[in-house]
Structure formats: structure tokens, C-alpha cells
Amino acid sequence: MATSSSCSSLKQHFLVFLIVIISSIINSPVNGCFTSIFSFGDSLTDTGNLLELSISESTKPPHSAFLPYGCTFFHRPTGRFCDGRLVIDFLAEALGFSFLPPFYGFKSGKWEKFRQGANFAVAGATALNSSFLAEQGIHSVSTNISLGVEVNSFKHLLPSLCSSSSNCKELLRKSLIVMGEVGGNDYNHAFKQGKNIENIRRLVPLVVDIISLSIKELIELGAVTFLVPGNFPIGCSPSLLTSFHGSEKDQYDPLTGCLTWLNQFSQHHNELLRKELENIRNLHPQINIIYVDYYKASTPFYQSPKNYGFKETLKACCGIGGLYNYDPLIYCGYPPLKQCCNDPSSYISWDGIHFTEVVNKWLAHTVFEELMNTIPRLGSLCPLSTVNKLRILYPMFGV
């Protein structure tokens, strides 16, 4: 019979062995899966591009350049509009990559840092170009970069990553393209600038067309696997709830307190986007297009917040004033708003516009599920070992 000391010794050896195995998994890429990630979008995906642009253009840095942004995970501001990681960060981690470097502001000749991917998402970016929006009387407040500009930047980078057209196609065949979320700013700017709802609805098919054209352009270059998120329930956003504070009582969802008509607008965008993605699938059956339903994934946070550990659903963690702790004239990070709530993980909204890190982590679960559900169609790109690795890395998600 084994003694208690020998049992203890065996347990210690097993724990050491387990730590070594898990460490090797975490620190190695997912072999046989994607070799790079290229990402497009706005502030929900921006890992520092707007900050880099402000530095290179000697303009005022965005409020994401200051604490308390980054306080939860990085413990310093990184240009991310969050207290910590974004969905794209969790996705990169799960697939064995470092955090995607921002493309803008790079130093000439240092292309090698983009070998495993690059992030082109810029906070404030729109799907439609700024000149067209300006003709509609809609003005961007932070940048004139649109999805088309981001895609053109990617096309500018690509020849530096591969020596020939065939090599570029092979690179993109093994790459994951994350297309958005994008288009939200086209609508948000219009809503906040007092545009008529019917005029804003006319933008939706135009936004969806731009997303579609961008995907098709990348398909022509050789990309075969796309993650395309939809829009969120914007009627639950503290910023828009503040803009439309005082609406008629029957315009609010009695269960969540969100504005129903704004959420219906998000659903309209998502419906048109899903239909267009299906059209692309029919035209290109060999292409993997994975729609990520952010609306469906985030709705339970507002309907059953206690199930996810949330105490505040419609108030901003880093904010000030009013029913929703949000003032459009006082930005989180800029004086006097240099402090945030004591526990960001108990809030859904970080700064009235963007989610807290814990919400992004839950949303990443949806991304992983959609990606894993598509593995049979991905064939040689992502073998079963990828699924097993994700189960070890993210057991809390039940992938």
C-alpha cells in the first residue's frame, strides 16, 4: 500500500507534468490551422490604430490613450477602447497568436512584424467613405478612414508579405479574415446628429454592399475563410439611450429598459447582412463565410444579467452623470473623468459605447463556437487537434 508521502509525491509530479503540457499548448500556435489573421473594423476591434495615427499625424491622442483604459488586463492604456482585451484579442490567443499589431503608424521596412497578421481596424471608422456620408450631412468625429481605406491598406501591405501572386494566394488561403463588426459608426453618427430614422434606414443596404464588396475583393486576392460579425442591440447602448432619453414609455423594452426601435434597427442591418452573405456563399461555394450573431449572443446579458455576473446593464462603468452614467461631452480618460467603477466585470458597458473585457470574453465564446461548428467545412485548415486545444485553453466556454 502506498504511503501518504508517496501519494503526495505522485500528485506533485503529476501537477508539474500537467503544467508543462498546458504551457507548451498555450505557447505554441495551432499547427495545421491558420497561419495569420487579418482584421478590419472600428473601435470594437481597434488594437491601437487610432492611437498610432494620432502619434504619426501629431494630433490630439484619443481618450483610449489614457487610464483607466486598459486597467483590467494590460494595466496601462494601449489604444483599445476597453478596460482590457477585445474579442479579436481572445480570438488571437485561442488560435495561438500574439495580439494583432496595429497596421497604421508602422515604421517603414519593418514588415516582418505582420507575418502572422495585422489589424487594420480604426476607432471611428465607417463602412461608407467619409465624403459620401458628408454629402448626407453625416460627419465623423474622429477619423475619415472607411472600410475601403482599410482594405486598400491591406493590399498595400500584401506584396511585402509574399513574393508572388501564387504565394500571396497561398498566404491568404491559410489566413483568417475578420471583417468587422463595421457599419455601426455610419448609423451612430447619423443617430447622434439627429438624422431622420427613414434616411438612416436607407444607409443599411449601402453599408451591407460595402461589406460585401470588401469580402469579394479579398476573395479575388485568395482569401477563403471569413468571420463576419453582425451588429449589437444598439438600443441598449448608454450613449444612444442618453441621446434619446425621454422617449415615450412604450418605446422601451419593459424587461431590459432598452429602446426597442433602435434594437429593431440593428436586427434590420443583421437581416440584410445575413442575406448578402448567403448570396456570396452561393456565388463562391468553396469560400467559408462564418456569420457571428453578436445580437443574439449579447441579448441575454440584458435579459438575465445575474446569470453572467452583471449588476449594471445600462450604466457606463467609466462615465458621469444622468440615468445612464454617460455624458457625450465628457469622455472617459480625459479630465475630469480619470476614474471608473470599482468592478468593471459587473458592468456590461465600459464607457457608454464599448463593452467591458468580460463581455468581450463572453462574445469570444460565440466566435469560437461558430468557428468550431464550421471546422468540417474548413477541411485541411483546422483539424480536430484545434478543437481539443481550444477546450484546454478555454474550458469555461465549453467549446
Side-chain angles (χ1 to χ4, degrees), residues 187-188 191 231-237 240-241 262-263 265-266 295:
Y187 310 138
N188 290 339
F191 280 125
N231 206 345
F232 298 90
I234 61 173
C236 304
S237 165
L240 287 175
L241 283 167
L262 278 171
N263 283 347
F265 182 92
S266 294
Y295 188 99

Side-chain angles (χ1 to χ4, degrees), residues 28-319:
S28 64
V30 181
N31 295 325
C33 195
F34 305 106
T35 57
S36 52
I37 304 174
F38 297 102
S39 179
F40 306 86
D42 54 27
S43 57
L44 297 174
T45 312
D46 185 353
T47 55
N49 275 311
L50 186 63
L51 174 58
E52 293 292 342
L53 284 169
S54 72
I55 294 172
S56 63
E57 297 172 0
S58 300
T59 57
K60 182 180 180 180
H63 49 286
S64 61
F66 304 97
L67 286 171
Y69 285 93
C71 62
T72 295
F73 181 79
F74 299 99
H75 307 298
R76 60 182 177 83
T78 63
R80 289 169 173 80
F81 283 78
C82 183
D83 59 308
R85 289 162 291 183
L86 309 175
V87 173
I88 190 66
D89 294 318
F90 288 110
L91 178 61
E93 283 184 312
L95 293 176
F97 294 96
S98 302
F99 296 136
L100 289 188
F103 170 78
Y104 296 102
F106 73 95
K107 302 301 180 183
S108 179
K110 294 187 177 181
W111 305 102
E112 63 274 5
K113 78 175 190 175
F114 301 122
R115 293 290 179 188
Q116 290 191 332
N119 190 357
F120 298 88
V122 179
T126 53
L128 301 167
N129 67 56
S130 56
S131 59
F132 174 82
L133 289 171
E135 291 173 2
Q136 316 305 311
I138 302 168
H139 302 280
S140 175
V141 295
S142 58
T143 183
N144 61 358
I145 287 180
S146 63
L147 181 56
V149 173
E150 293 179 10
V151 172
N152 284 336
S153 296
F154 170 73
K155 291 165 67 177
H156 177 71
L157 168 67
L158 190 58
S160 300
L161 304 181
C162 39
S163 58
S164 66
S165 176
S166 60
N167 286 341
C168 288
K169 285 185 179 295
E170 180 63 14
L171 169 68
L172 288 177
R173 188 184 73 82
K174 296 181 179 178
S175 299
L176 176 64
I177 308 297
V178 181
M179 186 56 69
E181 184 272 345
V182 67
N185 286 321
D186 301 65
Y187 310 138
N188 290 339
H189 294 331
F191 280 125
K192 292 179 180 180
Q193 291 167 25
K195 303 305 174 185
N196 180 277
I197 179 64
E198 291 306 317
N199 290 336
I200 302 175
R201 281 179 67 89
R202 293 191 187 102
L203 294 177
V204 178
L206 303 179
V207 166
V208 170
D209 282 347
I210 289 294
I211 296 172
S212 175
L213 288 170
S214 299
I215 292 171
K216 291 174 182 176
E217 194 169 355
L218 294 173
I219 289 174
E220 288 298 314
L221 293 173
V224 300
T225 305
F226 296 83
L227 280 175
V228 188
N231 206 345
F232 298 90
I234 61 173
C236 304
S237 165
S239 64
L240 287 175
L241 283 167
T242 298
S243 295
F244 295 102
H245 179 56
S247 298
E248 295 296 326
K249 186 177 180 180
D250 61 2
Q251 295 183 348
Y252 293 90
D253 183 330
L255 176 62
T256 64
C258 303
L259 276 168
T260 304
W261 65 273
L262 278 171
N263 283 347
Q264 290 172 342
F265 182 92
S266 294
Q267 291 173 307
H268 175 58
H269 166 91
N270 292 342
E271 181 183 1
L272 293 190
L273 178 60
R274 284 196 300 266
K275 287 180 179 178
E276 181 56 26
L277 295 181
E278 191 57 39
N279 290 336
I280 299 175
R281 291 188 190 102
N282 292 334
L283 288 172
H284 303 277
Q286 76 283 10
I287 301 300
N288 303 298
I289 299 182
I290 307 162
Y291 173 72
V292 183
D293 195 341
Y294 277 167
Y295 188 99
K296 181 179 178 181
S298 55
T299 297
F301 304 155
Y302 302 98
Q303 294 176 336
S304 306
K306 291 182 180 179
N307 292 347
Y308 301 90
F310 297 124
K311 296 179 181 178
E312 292 290 352
T313 58
L314 303 180
K315 288 185 177 181
C317 170
C318 186

